[in-house]
Amino acid sequence: DMMRYGGGRYAEFGVGSITYAMKARSALDAAGIQSDVTRLDPAKTPMGCAWGIRVNAGAAAGAERTMRSAGIVYSVITRPSG
């Protein structure tokens, strides 16, 4: 079940495998950042990513820092607008 985001304001990051997606979710969880693992259309992502991590817009910067320090390679799919 997808989390509800206020007004659809979320950030989504693409990762290369379900393993990375699960690692990212664990790292984010440990950092207190709630996230969802999502399926992506690889044709629509910069690096052909099939899996995504979605976080609340307000947590986007923290999520990027957390994933970088956990050594998770990701691409930014959606940054919150406005």
mmCIF file of all heavy atoms in Angstrom, residues 22-79:
data_model
loop_
_atom_site.group_PDB
_atom_site.id
_atom_site.type_symbol
_atom_site.label_atom_id
_atom_site.label_comp_id
_atom_site.label_asym_id
_atom_site.label_seq_id
_atom_site.Cartn_x
_atom_site.Cartn_y
_atom_site.Cartn_z
ATOM 1 N N MET A 22 16.247 -2.365 -1.517
ATOM 2 C CA MET A 22 16.075 -2.834 -0.146
ATOM 3 C C MET A 22 17.141 -2.240 0.778
ATOM 4 O O MET A 22 16.852 -1.851 1.908
ATOM 5 C CB MET A 22 16.134 -4.367 -0.087
ATOM 6 C CG MET A 22 14.961 -5.039 -0.779
ATOM 7 S SD MET A 22 13.376 -4.426 -0.109
ATOM 8 C CE MET A 22 12.215 -5.313 -1.125
ATOM 9 N N LYS A 23 18.396 -2.157 0.274
ATOM 10 C CA LYS A 23 19.467 -1.547 1.060
ATOM 11 C C LYS A 23 19.143 -0.083 1.349
ATOM 12 O O LYS A 23 19.334 0.395 2.467
ATOM 13 C CB LYS A 23 20.788 -1.609 0.268
ATOM 14 C CG LYS A 23 21.668 -2.787 0.637
ATOM 15 C CD LYS A 23 22.963 -2.772 -0.159
ATOM 16 C CE LYS A 23 23.909 -1.659 0.276
ATOM 17 N NZ LYS A 23 25.264 -1.797 -0.326
ATOM 18 N N ALA A 24 18.645 0.599 0.322
ATOM 19 C CA ALA A 24 18.295 2.015 0.481
ATOM 20 C C ALA A 24 17.187 2.160 1.517
ATOM 21 O O ALA A 24 17.258 3.025 2.393
ATOM 22 C CB ALA A 24 17.861 2.611 -0.856
ATOM 23 N N ARG A 25 16.172 1.302 1.420
ATOM 24 C CA ARG A 25 15.061 1.409 2.360
ATOM 25 C C ARG A 25 15.527 1.168 3.797
ATOM 26 O O ARG A 25 15.108 1.873 4.713
ATOM 27 C CB ARG A 25 13.915 0.456 1.989
ATOM 28 C CG ARG A 25 12.659 0.793 2.777
ATOM 29 C CD ARG A 25 11.438 0.121 2.258
ATOM 30 N NE ARG A 25 11.532 -1.319 2.434
ATOM 31 C CZ ARG A 25 10.567 -2.159 2.092
ATOM 32 N NH1 ARG A 25 9.465 -1.707 1.533
ATOM 33 N NH2 ARG A 25 10.706 -3.446 2.277
ATOM 34 N N SER A 26 16.423 0.194 3.995
ATOM 35 C CA SER A 26 16.968 -0.076 5.332
ATOM 36 C C SER A 26 17.749 1.124 5.864
ATOM 37 O O SER A 26 17.603 1.500 7.026
ATOM 38 C CB SER A 26 17.892 -1.290 5.303
ATOM 39 O OG SER A 26 17.189 -2.425 4.882
ATOM 40 N N ALA A 27 18.596 1.693 4.994
ATOM 41 C CA ALA A 27 19.414 2.841 5.405
ATOM 42 C C ALA A 27 18.525 4.030 5.758
ATOM 43 O O ALA A 27 18.756 4.723 6.754
ATOM 44 C CB ALA A 27 20.395 3.219 4.297
ATOM 45 N N LEU A 28 17.503 4.263 4.945
ATOM 46 C CA LEU A 28 16.590 5.384 5.190
ATOM 47 C C LEU A 28 15.806 5.151 6.475
ATOM 48 O O LEU A 28 15.612 6.060 7.273
ATOM 49 C CB LEU A 28 15.644 5.580 4.001
ATOM 50 C CG LEU A 28 16.337 6.063 2.722
ATOM 51 C CD1 LEU A 28 15.409 5.947 1.532
ATOM 52 C CD2 LEU A 28 16.827 7.492 2.875
ATOM 53 N N ASP A 29 15.364 3.912 6.673
ATOM 54 C CA ASP A 29 14.632 3.542 7.877
ATOM 55 C C ASP A 29 15.482 3.820 9.119
ATOM 56 O O ASP A 29 15.012 4.404 10.092
ATOM 57 C CB ASP A 29 14.274 2.054 7.791
ATOM 58 C CG ASP A 29 13.112 1.709 8.700
ATOM 59 O OD1 ASP A 29 12.152 2.505 8.747
ATOM 60 O OD2 ASP A 29 13.174 0.654 9.359
ATOM 61 N N ALA A 30 16.757 3.410 9.055
ATOM 62 C CA ALA A 30 17.674 3.624 10.175
ATOM 63 C C ALA A 30 17.878 5.109 10.448
ATOM 64 O O ALA A 30 18.117 5.517 11.582
ATOM 65 C CB ALA A 30 19.011 2.947 9.886
ATOM 66 N N ALA A 31 17.749 5.932 9.396
ATOM 67 C CA ALA A 31 17.915 7.382 9.538
ATOM 68 C C ALA A 31 16.592 8.060 9.906
ATOM 69 O O ALA A 31 16.513 9.280 9.995
ATOM 70 C CB ALA A 31 18.461 7.970 8.234
ATOM 71 N N GLY A 32 15.543 7.260 10.082
ATOM 72 C CA GLY A 32 14.245 7.816 10.450
ATOM 73 C C GLY A 32 13.485 8.429 9.287
ATOM 74 O O GLY A 32 12.594 9.254 9.473
ATOM 75 N N ILE A 33 13.840 8.023 8.055
ATOM 76 C CA ILE A 33 13.164 8.548 6.860
ATOM 77 C C ILE A 33 12.265 7.466 6.287
ATOM 78 O O ILE A 33 12.730 6.381 5.934
ATOM 79 C CB ILE A 33 14.187 9.010 5.798
ATOM 80 C CG1 ILE A 33 15.045 10.150 6.352
ATOM 81 C CG2 ILE A 33 13.478 9.444 4.512
ATOM 82 C CD1 ILE A 33 16.246 10.518 5.499
ATOM 83 N N GLN A 34 10.968 7.754 6.205
ATOM 84 C CA GLN A 34 10.009 6.786 5.690
ATOM 85 C C GLN A 34 10.113 6.742 4.163
ATOM 86 O O GLN A 34 10.209 7.774 3.514
ATOM 87 C CB GLN A 34 8.599 7.209 6.106
ATOM 88 C CG GLN A 34 7.586 6.097 5.996
ATOM 89 C CD GLN A 34 6.195 6.561 6.401
ATOM 90 O OE1 GLN A 34 5.929 7.754 6.496
ATOM 91 N NE2 GLN A 34 5.305 5.607 6.607
ATOM 92 N N SER A 35 10.117 5.537 3.589
ATOM 93 C CA SER A 35 10.254 5.421 2.137
ATOM 94 C C SER A 35 9.442 4.252 1.601
ATOM 95 O O SER A 35 9.056 3.359 2.347
ATOM 96 C CB SER A 35 11.729 5.235 1.754
ATOM 97 O OG SER A 35 12.215 4.000 2.261
ATOM 98 N N ASP A 36 9.180 4.295 0.314
ATOM 99 C CA ASP A 36 8.515 3.209 -0.398
ATOM 100 C C ASP A 36 9.432 2.709 -1.497
ATOM 101 O O ASP A 36 10.104 3.511 -2.144
ATOM 102 C CB ASP A 36 7.248 3.708 -1.108
ATOM 103 C CG ASP A 36 6.043 3.769 -0.201
ATOM 104 O OD1 ASP A 36 5.950 2.931 0.719
ATOM 105 O OD2 ASP A 36 5.198 4.654 -0.404
ATOM 106 N N VAL A 37 9.414 1.415 -1.740
ATOM 107 C CA VAL A 37 10.095 0.857 -2.909
ATOM 108 C C VAL A 37 9.055 0.810 -4.024
ATOM 109 O O VAL A 37 7.939 0.339 -3.813
ATOM 110 C CB VAL A 37 10.645 -0.557 -2.609
ATOM 111 C CG1 VAL A 37 11.183 -1.207 -3.887
ATOM 112 C CG2 VAL A 37 11.739 -0.490 -1.561
ATOM 113 N N THR A 38 9.391 1.328 -5.199
ATOM 114 C CA THR A 38 8.442 1.380 -6.307
ATOM 115 C C THR A 38 9.033 0.725 -7.551
ATOM 116 O O THR A 38 10.249 0.648 -7.703
ATOM 117 C CB THR A 38 8.073 2.841 -6.649
ATOM 118 O OG1 THR A 38 9.267 3.558 -6.988
ATOM 119 C CG2 THR A 38 7.398 3.536 -5.476
ATOM 120 N N ARG A 39 8.167 0.250 -8.452
ATOM 121 C CA ARG A 39 8.603 -0.280 -9.752
ATOM 122 C C ARG A 39 8.632 0.890 -10.719
ATOM 123 O O ARG A 39 7.710 1.684 -10.748
ATOM 124 C CB ARG A 39 7.614 -1.325 -10.279
ATOM 125 C CG ARG A 39 7.668 -2.662 -9.603
ATOM 126 C CD ARG A 39 8.697 -3.649 -10.057
ATOM 127 N NE ARG A 39 9.351 -3.448 -11.335
ATOM 128 C CZ ARG A 39 9.984 -4.404 -11.993
ATOM 129 N NH1 ARG A 39 10.010 -5.623 -11.514
ATOM 130 N NH2 ARG A 39 10.596 -4.169 -13.104
ATOM 131 N N LEU A 40 9.686 0.961 -11.520
ATOM 132 C CA LEU A 40 9.797 2.039 -12.504
ATOM 133 C C LEU A 40 9.811 1.457 -13.906
ATOM 134 O O LEU A 40 10.119 0.281 -14.094
ATOM 135 C CB LEU A 40 11.098 2.814 -12.292
ATOM 136 C CG LEU A 40 11.313 3.486 -10.936
ATOM 137 C CD1 LEU A 40 12.714 4.068 -10.869
ATOM 138 C CD2 LEU A 40 10.277 4.568 -10.706
ATOM 139 N N ASP A 41 9.522 2.304 -14.885
ATOM 140 C CA ASP A 41 9.673 1.925 -16.283
ATOM 141 C C ASP A 41 11.098 2.321 -16.687
ATOM 142 O O ASP A 41 11.395 3.510 -16.793
ATOM 143 C CB ASP A 41 8.640 2.676 -17.132
ATOM 144 C CG ASP A 41 8.799 2.392 -18.612
ATOM 145 O OD1 ASP A 41 9.784 1.705 -18.998
ATOM 146 O OD2 ASP A 41 7.963 2.858 -19.388
ATOM 147 N N PRO A 42 11.989 1.332 -16.876
ATOM 148 C CA PRO A 42 13.397 1.650 -17.164
ATOM 149 C C PRO A 42 13.580 2.601 -18.342
ATOM 150 O O PRO A 42 14.529 3.374 -18.375
ATOM 151 C CB PRO A 42 14.022 0.288 -17.457
ATOM 152 C CG PRO A 42 13.130 -0.697 -16.781
ATOM 153 C CD PRO A 42 11.746 -0.104 -16.830
ATOM 154 N N ALA A 43 12.667 2.557 -19.299
ATOM 155 C CA ALA A 43 12.777 3.428 -20.478
ATOM 156 C C ALA A 43 12.619 4.897 -20.102
ATOM 157 O O ALA A 43 13.045 5.773 -20.838
ATOM 158 C CB ALA A 43 11.729 3.035 -21.510
ATOM 159 N N LYS A 44 11.998 5.166 -18.958
ATOM 160 C CA LYS A 44 11.718 6.552 -18.574
ATOM 161 C C LYS A 44 12.691 7.080 -17.530
ATOM 162 O O LYS A 44 12.491 8.153 -16.995
ATOM 163 C CB LYS A 44 10.288 6.662 -18.035
ATOM 164 C CG LYS A 44 9.233 6.374 -19.087
ATOM 165 C CD LYS A 44 7.855 6.778 -18.599
ATOM 166 C CE LYS A 44 6.830 6.573 -19.703
ATOM 167 N NZ LYS A 44 5.715 5.742 -19.300
ATOM 168 N N THR A 45 13.735 6.309 -17.211
ATOM 169 C CA THR A 45 14.679 6.771 -16.194
ATOM 170 C C THR A 45 16.062 6.987 -16.805
ATOM 171 O O THR A 45 16.417 6.309 -17.764
ATOM 172 C CB THR A 45 14.783 5.762 -15.029
ATOM 173 O OG1 THR A 45 15.431 4.578 -15.505
ATOM 174 C CG2 THR A 45 13.416 5.415 -14.462
ATOM 175 N N PRO A 46 16.833 7.933 -16.240
ATOM 176 C CA PRO A 46 18.136 8.287 -16.824
ATOM 177 C C PRO A 46 19.105 7.114 -16.974
ATOM 178 O O PRO A 46 19.831 7.039 -17.951
ATOM 179 C CB PRO A 46 18.706 9.309 -15.835
ATOM 180 C CG PRO A 46 17.535 9.833 -15.086
ATOM 181 C CD PRO A 46 16.518 8.739 -15.064
ATOM 182 N N MET A 47 19.112 6.191 -16.000
ATOM 183 C CA MET A 47 20.071 5.101 -16.050
ATOM 184 C C MET A 47 19.417 3.748 -16.313
ATOM 185 O O MET A 47 20.000 2.706 -16.062
ATOM 186 C CB MET A 47 20.880 5.045 -14.735
ATOM 187 C CG MET A 47 21.703 6.292 -14.498
ATOM 188 S SD MET A 47 22.641 6.411 -12.920
ATOM 189 C CE MET A 47 22.147 5.028 -11.935
ATOM 190 N N GLY A 48 18.180 3.766 -16.792
ATOM 191 C CA GLY A 48 17.487 2.512 -17.061
ATOM 192 C C GLY A 48 17.144 1.751 -15.784
ATOM 193 O O GLY A 48 17.217 0.530 -15.734
ATOM 194 N N CYS A 49 16.799 2.498 -14.741
ATOM 195 C CA CYS A 49 16.513 1.879 -13.448
ATOM 196 C C CYS A 49 15.121 1.250 -13.429
ATOM 197 O O CYS A 49 14.159 1.847 -13.887
ATOM 198 C CB CYS A 49 16.591 2.918 -12.334
ATOM 199 S SG CYS A 49 18.225 3.645 -12.170
ATOM 200 N N ALA A 50 15.040 0.043 -12.885
ATOM 201 C CA ALA A 50 13.760 -0.652 -12.808
ATOM 202 C C ALA A 50 13.100 -0.499 -11.442
ATOM 203 O O ALA A 50 11.937 -0.820 -11.275
ATOM 204 C CB ALA A 50 13.950 -2.135 -13.116
ATOM 205 N N TRP A 51 13.859 -0.004 -10.469
ATOM 206 C CA TRP A 51 13.340 0.122 -9.110
ATOM 207 C C TRP A 51 13.538 1.528 -8.600
ATOM 208 O O TRP A 51 14.516 2.188 -8.932
ATOM 209 C CB TRP A 51 14.042 -0.868 -8.171
ATOM 210 C CG TRP A 51 13.735 -2.274 -8.555
ATOM 211 C CD1 TRP A 51 14.471 -3.065 -9.401
ATOM 212 C CD2 TRP A 51 12.601 -3.044 -8.183
ATOM 213 N NE1 TRP A 51 13.849 -4.286 -9.550
ATOM 214 C CE2 TRP A 51 12.709 -4.303 -8.818
ATOM 215 C CE3 TRP A 51 11.496 -2.794 -7.361
ATOM 216 C CZ2 TRP A 51 11.750 -5.311 -8.659
ATOM 217 C CZ3 TRP A 51 10.548 -3.793 -7.202
ATOM 218 C CH2 TRP A 51 10.683 -5.029 -7.851
ATOM 219 N N GLY A 52 12.601 1.986 -7.788
ATOM 220 C CA GLY A 52 12.696 3.335 -7.246
ATOM 221 C C GLY A 52 12.497 3.368 -5.750
ATOM 222 O O GLY A 52 11.962 2.437 -5.160
ATOM 223 N N ILE A 53 12.948 4.458 -5.160
ATOM 224 C CA ILE A 53 12.733 4.750 -3.751
ATOM 225 C C ILE A 53 12.016 6.087 -3.718
ATOM 226 O O ILE A 53 12.493 7.063 -4.291
ATOM 227 C CB ILE A 53 14.077 4.890 -2.993
ATOM 228 C CG1 ILE A 53 14.854 3.577 -3.021
ATOM 229 C CG2 ILE A 53 13.828 5.330 -1.552
ATOM 230 C CD1 ILE A 53 14.269 2.504 -2.153
ATOM 231 N N ARG A 54 10.882 6.115 -3.035
ATOM 232 C CA ARG A 54 10.097 7.349 -2.968
ATOM 233 C C ARG A 54 10.058 7.833 -1.529
ATOM 234 O O ARG A 54 9.813 7.040 -0.622
ATOM 235 C CB ARG A 54 8.676 7.043 -3.456
ATOM 236 C CG ARG A 54 7.783 8.248 -3.518
ATOM 237 C CD ARG A 54 6.440 7.870 -4.069
ATOM 238 N NE ARG A 54 6.500 7.617 -5.503
ATOM 239 C CZ ARG A 54 5.433 7.385 -6.259
ATOM 240 N NH1 ARG A 54 4.243 7.331 -5.715
ATOM 241 N NH2 ARG A 54 5.559 7.194 -7.549
ATOM 242 N N VAL A 55 10.355 9.106 -1.347
ATOM 243 C CA VAL A 55 10.326 9.693 -0.014
ATOM 244 C C VAL A 55 9.519 10.982 -0.037
ATOM 245 O O VAL A 55 9.294 11.565 -1.098
ATOM 246 C CB VAL A 55 11.753 10.003 0.536
ATOM 247 C CG1 VAL A 55 12.598 8.749 0.595
ATOM 248 C CG2 VAL A 55 12.440 11.084 -0.282
ATOM 249 N N ASN A 56 9.095 11.413 1.133
ATOM 250 C CA ASN A 56 8.395 12.676 1.263
ATOM 251 C C ASN A 56 9.286 13.817 0.782
ATOM 252 O O ASN A 56 10.504 13.767 0.984
ATOM 253 C CB ASN A 56 8.049 12.891 2.737
ATOM 254 C CG ASN A 56 6.598 13.255 2.919
ATOM 255 O OD1 ASN A 56 6.026 13.950 2.084
ATOM 256 N ND2 ASN A 56 6.018 12.784 3.993
ATOM 257 N N ALA A 57 8.688 14.825 0.169
ATOM 258 C CA ALA A 57 9.456 15.941 -0.387
ATOM 259 C C ALA A 57 10.412 16.538 0.634
ATOM 260 O O ALA A 57 11.577 16.795 0.330
ATOM 261 C CB ALA A 57 8.502 17.016 -0.903
ATOM 262 N N GLY A 58 9.952 16.724 1.862
ATOM 263 C CA GLY A 58 10.762 17.354 2.893
ATOM 264 C C GLY A 58 11.972 16.518 3.287
ATOM 265 O O GLY A 58 12.925 17.042 3.872
ATOM 266 N N ALA A 59 11.950 15.237 2.962
ATOM 267 C CA ALA A 59 13.037 14.345 3.358
ATOM 268 C C ALA A 59 14.029 14.091 2.221
ATOM 269 O O ALA A 59 14.982 13.342 2.379
ATOM 270 C CB ALA A 59 12.460 13.014 3.836
ATOM 271 N N ALA A 60 13.800 14.729 1.056
ATOM 272 C CA ALA A 60 14.602 14.425 -0.136
ATOM 273 C C ALA A 60 16.105 14.632 0.075
ATOM 274 O O ALA A 60 16.905 13.762 -0.254
ATOM 275 C CB ALA A 60 14.116 15.258 -1.323
ATOM 276 N N ALA A 61 16.496 15.773 0.637
ATOM 277 C CA ALA A 61 17.922 16.068 0.816
ATOM 278 C C ALA A 61 18.558 15.077 1.790
ATOM 279 O O ALA A 61 19.647 14.550 1.540
ATOM 280 C CB ALA A 61 18.116 17.506 1.304
ATOM 281 N N GLY A 62 17.864 14.800 2.875
ATOM 282 C CA GLY A 62 18.355 13.839 3.850
ATOM 283 C C GLY A 62 18.463 12.449 3.256
ATOM 284 O O GLY A 62 19.405 11.704 3.543
ATOM 285 N N ALA A 63 17.504 12.095 2.405
ATOM 286 C CA ALA A 63 17.513 10.783 1.755
ATOM 287 C C ALA A 63 18.727 10.656 0.835
ATOM 288 O O ALA A 63 19.394 9.622 0.825
ATOM 289 C CB ALA A 63 16.222 10.569 0.959
ATOM 290 N N GLU A 64 19.030 11.723 0.084
ATOM 291 C CA GLU A 64 20.192 11.679 -0.812
ATOM 292 C C GLU A 64 21.474 11.503 -0.007
ATOM 293 O O GLU A 64 22.324 10.681 -0.354
ATOM 294 C CB GLU A 64 20.270 12.958 -1.668
ATOM 295 C CG GLU A 64 19.180 13.006 -2.726
ATOM 296 C CD GLU A 64 19.488 13.996 -3.844
ATOM 297 O OE1 GLU A 64 20.515 13.814 -4.531
ATOM 298 O OE2 GLU A 64 18.710 14.950 -4.029
ATOM 299 N N ARG A 65 21.614 12.257 1.085
ATOM 300 C CA ARG A 65 22.801 12.132 1.946
ATOM 301 C C ARG A 65 22.918 10.720 2.504
ATOM 302 O O ARG A 65 23.998 10.123 2.486
ATOM 303 C CB ARG A 65 22.717 13.125 3.117
ATOM 304 C CG ARG A 65 23.281 14.495 2.818
ATOM 305 C CD ARG A 65 23.537 15.275 4.093
ATOM 306 N NE ARG A 65 22.338 15.358 4.945
ATOM 307 C CZ ARG A 65 21.369 16.271 4.790
ATOM 308 N NH1 ARG A 65 21.460 17.168 3.825
ATOM 309 N NH2 ARG A 65 20.331 16.283 5.596
ATOM 310 N N THR A 66 21.798 10.194 2.991
ATOM 311 C CA THR A 66 21.790 8.862 3.598
ATOM 312 C C THR A 66 22.192 7.794 2.590
ATOM 313 O O THR A 66 23.009 6.925 2.890
ATOM 314 C CB THR A 66 20.382 8.548 4.160
ATOM 315 O OG1 THR A 66 20.043 9.550 5.125
ATOM 316 C CG2 THR A 66 20.340 7.180 4.818
ATOM 317 N N MET A 67 21.625 7.878 1.376
ATOM 318 C CA MET A 67 21.937 6.875 0.356
ATOM 319 C C MET A 67 23.397 6.981 -0.085
ATOM 320 O O MET A 67 24.059 5.961 -0.266
ATOM 321 C CB MET A 67 20.980 6.988 -0.828
ATOM 322 C CG MET A 67 19.575 6.529 -0.468
ATOM 323 S SD MET A 67 18.474 6.334 -1.891
ATOM 324 C CE MET A 67 18.290 8.016 -2.435
ATOM 325 N N ARG A 68 23.893 8.222 -0.234
ATOM 326 C CA ARG A 68 25.300 8.393 -0.604
ATOM 327 C C ARG A 68 26.223 7.781 0.443
ATOM 328 O O ARG A 68 27.147 7.042 0.106
ATOM 329 C CB ARG A 68 25.641 9.887 -0.773
ATOM 330 C CG ARG A 68 25.500 10.372 -2.200
ATOM 331 C CD ARG A 68 26.315 11.637 -2.438
ATOM 332 N NE ARG A 68 26.018 12.685 -1.461
ATOM 333 C CZ ARG A 68 25.019 13.565 -1.583
ATOM 334 N NH1 ARG A 68 24.213 13.523 -2.630
ATOM 335 N NH2 ARG A 68 24.822 14.487 -0.663
ATOM 336 N N SER A 69 25.962 8.062 1.719
ATOM 337 C CA SER A 69 26.874 7.532 2.743
ATOM 338 C C SER A 69 26.731 6.019 2.890
ATOM 339 O O SER A 69 27.654 5.355 3.354
ATOM 340 C CB SER A 69 26.710 8.251 4.082
ATOM 341 O OG SER A 69 25.377 8.326 4.454
ATOM 342 N N ALA A 70 25.599 5.458 2.450
ATOM 343 C CA ALA A 70 25.432 4.002 2.488
ATOM 344 C C ALA A 70 26.024 3.345 1.235
ATOM 345 O O ALA A 70 25.975 2.123 1.082
ATOM 346 C CB ALA A 70 23.950 3.645 2.618
ATOM 347 N N GLY A 71 26.561 4.166 0.324
ATOM 348 C CA GLY A 71 27.177 3.633 -0.892
ATOM 349 C C GLY A 71 26.179 3.157 -1.925
ATOM 350 O O GLY A 71 26.483 2.302 -2.757
ATOM 351 N N ILE A 72 24.960 3.728 -1.890
ATOM 352 C CA ILE A 72 23.925 3.314 -2.840
ATOM 353 C C ILE A 72 23.960 4.243 -4.049
ATOM 354 O O ILE A 72 23.870 5.465 -3.914
ATOM 355 C CB ILE A 72 22.547 3.316 -2.159
ATOM 356 C CG1 ILE A 72 22.509 2.193 -1.119
ATOM 357 C CG2 ILE A 72 21.423 3.159 -3.180
ATOM 358 C CD1 ILE A 72 21.575 2.436 0.015
ATOM 359 N N VAL A 73 24.118 3.650 -5.223
ATOM 360 C CA VAL A 73 24.150 4.418 -6.468
ATOM 361 C C VAL A 73 22.708 4.649 -6.904
ATOM 362 O O VAL A 73 21.930 3.714 -7.022
ATOM 363 C CB VAL A 73 24.916 3.639 -7.564
ATOM 364 C CG1 VAL A 73 24.919 4.430 -8.868
ATOM 365 C CG2 VAL A 73 26.338 3.341 -7.108
ATOM 366 N N TYR A 74 22.355 5.898 -7.142
ATOM 367 C CA TYR A 74 20.971 6.218 -7.509
ATOM 368 C C TYR A 74 20.962 7.326 -8.543
ATOM 369 O O TYR A 74 21.945 8.032 -8.724
ATOM 370 C CB TYR A 74 20.176 6.660 -6.269
ATOM 371 C CG TYR A 74 20.688 7.944 -5.666
ATOM 372 C CD1 TYR A 74 20.198 9.178 -6.091
ATOM 373 C CD2 TYR A 74 21.690 7.932 -4.694
ATOM 374 C CE1 TYR A 74 20.684 10.363 -5.558
ATOM 375 C CE2 TYR A 74 22.188 9.101 -4.166
ATOM 376 C CZ TYR A 74 21.673 10.319 -4.601
ATOM 377 O OH TYR A 74 22.168 11.489 -4.092
ATOM 378 N N SER A 75 19.822 7.476 -9.201
ATOM 379 C CA SER A 75 19.630 8.635 -10.061
ATOM 380 C C SER A 75 18.366 9.342 -9.588
ATOM 381 O O SER A 75 17.466 8.710 -9.044
ATOM 382 C CB SER A 75 19.490 8.220 -11.529
ATOM 383 O OG SER A 75 18.342 7.415 -11.697
ATOM 384 N N VAL A 76 18.333 10.651 -9.757
ATOM 385 C CA VAL A 76 17.175 11.412 -9.322
ATOM 386 C C VAL A 76 16.117 11.358 -10.423
ATOM 387 O O VAL A 76 16.377 11.729 -11.557
ATOM 388 C CB VAL A 76 17.550 12.882 -9.013
ATOM 389 C CG1 VAL A 76 16.318 13.671 -8.630
ATOM 390 C CG2 VAL A 76 18.597 12.934 -7.919
ATOM 391 N N ILE A 77 14.933 10.853 -10.074
ATOM 392 C CA ILE A 77 13.851 10.764 -11.045
ATOM 393 C C ILE A 77 12.933 11.977 -10.904
ATOM 394 O O ILE A 77 12.614 12.647 -11.860
ATOM 395 C CB ILE A 77 13.003 9.488 -10.818
ATOM 396 C CG1 ILE A 77 13.882 8.253 -10.726
ATOM 397 C CG2 ILE A 77 11.960 9.330 -11.918
ATOM 398 C CD1 ILE A 77 14.656 7.910 -11.975
ATOM 399 N N THR A 78 12.492 12.229 -9.694
ATOM 400 C CA THR A 78 11.568 13.343 -9.431
ATOM 401 C C THR A 78 12.060 14.114 -8.232
ATOM 402 O O THR A 78 12.209 13.539 -7.166
ATOM 403 C CB THR A 78 10.153 12.811 -9.059
ATOM 404 O OG1 THR A 78 9.847 11.692 -9.844
ATOM 405 C CG2 THR A 78 9.117 13.889 -9.253
ATOM 406 N N ARG A 79 12.315 15.397 -8.432
ATOM 407 C CA ARG A 79 12.578 16.251 -7.276
ATOM 408 C C ARG A 79 11.282 17.004 -7.015
ATOM 409 O O ARG A 79 10.565 17.327 -7.951
ATOM 410 C CB ARG A 79 13.700 17.246 -7.601
ATOM 411 C CG ARG A 79 15.061 16.691 -7.262
ATOM 412 C CD ARG A 79 15.971 17.765 -6.704
ATOM 413 N NE ARG A 79 17.249 17.193 -6.272
ATOM 414 C CZ ARG A 79 18.247 16.923 -7.099
ATOM 415 N NH1 ARG A 79 18.119 17.152 -8.389
ATOM 416 N NH2 ARG A 79 19.364 16.418 -6.647
#
